[in-house]
Amino acid sequence: LTTVIESVPVKLSIWDFAGQEIYYDTHQFFLSERSIYLIVWNMLLKEEESRIEFWLQSLAARGNAPVVIVGTHLDDPSCTRERVTQMLKNIAEKYAPRFPNIQKITAVSCSSGKGIGELRKIIRQLIPKSPHLKRLMPAKYLFFEKDLIDIYRPLRNPPVISWEEFQNYAISFSIDRDELKAAAQTLHSLGSILYFDESVLREIVVLDPQWLTNMLCTIITTKHLFVKDGTLNHKDLIHIWRDERYPEEYHSVFLQLLQKFEVTYDLETQSKAPGSFSEQGKSLIPSALPLVRPVDVER
């Protein structure tokens, strides 16, 4: 989506986060301060069912990006002017004092379009306030980004390259070694790539963030029976990741990524070197834990 702010074209990327609880762990890959967040809540349901406070806390933990809370189903007969006004007031009184990054609370109807114009106006008013908007960025970073996404990414399966390969590719855009990390972190903050400057993860660059989400979902999904009572045997990864998108030589790196975002926890960290991988090892997956502690997990 491209809009014009103060006579300058501004390109907006729109991300729709899956609302199902099983996908909550994937959202952190995409949270960035270079954003305006819309927390959408169905006004026909109890406010708690939309988990507004959960989303506000998740965003607050990642920075201070502006938030707009949007109630939906404004066209429903039960959503009278008086009722909607009171609901928006209740939301404001409940959350605004604790979450100062809430910029506006409004209501819309996706069916009739009522309130959409006002929401667009709110977003347009927030864009110029972003401290990132007027921050200069070398044009070569943008050329590099476009080439990575349009040309290089489709050629990679999986869309993962080594830091050395990333470095060599950047040279063709006059991005030298001294500024390469700054370029990588800029593209990371834009959501174009994923790069983590720590441990073994600094040795790779993920060219497609959505691919990483798909990889994570292969672990937390209920479509297979390899995760039992919240524990995963590493020897089963070869079956879970049998797809060519997840080659075996990357399995240890994939586990490191899952551990970084606390999707999994290594149950044998004291018995091996950091970053190493053992097929005999196990990982704990909190989101898949039963209500009763598994008997084979020590206290």
Side-chain angles (χ1 to χ4, degrees):
L1 174 65
T2 301
T3 187
V4 178
I5 304 295
E6 298 177 359
S7 301
V8 178
V10 177
K11 183 179 180 180
L12 306 178
S13 297
I14 301 175
W15 295 83
D16 180 15
F17 294 106
Q20 299 92 325
E21 189 169 352
I22 193 173
Y23 294 114
Y24 283 1
D25 287 329
T26 71
H27 296 155
Q28 54 196 313
F29 297 139
F30 304 99
L31 299 182
S32 166
E33 284 204 343
R34 288 177 174 266
S35 306
I36 296 172
Y37 291 100
L38 306 184
I39 297 180
V40 182
W41 124 81
N42 185 341
M43 294 190 294
L44 303 184
L45 304 177
K46 292 182 178 179
E47 176 252 307
E48 291 77 11
E49 294 185 40
S50 296
R51 305 196 66 179
I52 292 177
E53 183 161 3
F54 167 82
W55 295 111
L56 287 169
Q57 290 176 340
S58 296
L59 297 177
R62 290 282 171 171
N64 196 37
V67 172
V68 180
I69 300 178
V70 183
T72 63
H73 294 77
L74 182 60
D75 59 306
D76 191 87
S78 66
C79 291
T80 62
R81 180 188 296 271
E82 293 75 16
R83 182 167 179 264
V84 170
T85 299
Q86 187 60 49
M87 282 193 290
L88 300 186
K89 180 181 178 182
N90 292 343
I91 293 292
E93 292 176 348
K94 184 175 182 179
Y95 296 116
R98 290 188 291 142
F99 300 98
N101 54 329
I102 296 176
Q103 302 298 308
K104 197 74 175 180
I105 302 171
T106 190
V108 302
S109 165
C110 297
S111 298
S112 68
K114 185 177 181 181
I116 297 296
E118 176 64 20
L119 178 58
R120 286 178 177 270
K121 180 180 177 182
I122 292 170
I123 295 173
R124 287 177 58 87
Q125 289 173 342
L126 289 175
I127 292 173
K129 297 179 181 179
S130 170
H132 303 285
L133 185 63
K134 297 180 180 180
R135 188 173 297 169
L136 296 179
M137 181 188 306
K140 58 187 176 182
Y141 288 9
L142 299 179
F143 293 131
F144 184 39
E145 174 196 37
K146 180 174 176 55
D147 215 62
L148 280 173
I149 294 175
D150 294 346
I151 299 176
Y152 209 63
R153 180 193 289 176
L155 300 176
R156 304 294 303 197
N157 187 25
V160 178
I161 61 174
S162 68
W163 177 252
E164 182 179 4
E165 190 175 355
F166 185 75
Q167 179 176 263
N168 292 336
Y169 196 54
I171 291 175
S172 61
F173 291 86
S174 301
I175 301 174
D176 58 33
R177 295 188 179 188
D178 293 337
E179 62 177 327
L180 187 58
K181 282 192 177 180
Q185 290 164 350
T186 298
L187 298 187
H188 175 103
S189 69
L190 291 172
S192 303
I193 66 170
L194 292 176
Y195 172 68
F196 307 103
D197 188 17
E198 58 184 76
S199 186
V200 298
L201 299 182
R202 64 167 57 94
E203 300 302 323
I204 66 163
V205 177
V206 178
L207 300 178
D208 184 1
Q210 182 60 51
W211 169 86
L212 184 59
T213 293
N214 296 340
M215 184 270 288
L216 183 150
C217 290
T218 64
I219 297 296
I220 61 177
T221 184
T222 58
K223 292 182 180 179
H224 60 71
L225 301 177
F226 293 109
V227 176
K228 301 176 182 178
D229 292 332
T231 58
L232 167 68
N233 292 310
H234 294 174
K235 63 182 177 62
D236 291 327
L237 289 173
I238 195 170
H239 304 294
I240 298 173
W241 289 333
R242 64 184 181 275
D243 190 294
E244 63 179 9
R245 292 173 298 171
Y246 313 115
E248 189 172 354
E249 61 265 29
Y250 283 107
H251 287 186
S252 62
V253 177
F254 295 166
L255 271 181
Q256 290 287 309
L257 285 167
L258 295 175
Q259 290 165 17
K260 171 180 171 55
F261 287 99
E262 301 181 346
V263 176
T264 67
Y265 294 86
D266 195 335
L267 293 176
E268 300 181 353
T269 52
Q270 296 181 350
S271 61
K272 63 180 183 178
S276 61
F277 173 73
S278 169
E279 287 189 351
Q280 306 307 315
K282 291 183 178 181
S283 289
L284 179 71
I285 304 177
S287 63
L289 279 171
L291 295 178
V292 179
R293 179 176 62 88
V295 295
D296 58 340
V297 178
E298 296 181 0
R299 291 184 183 275

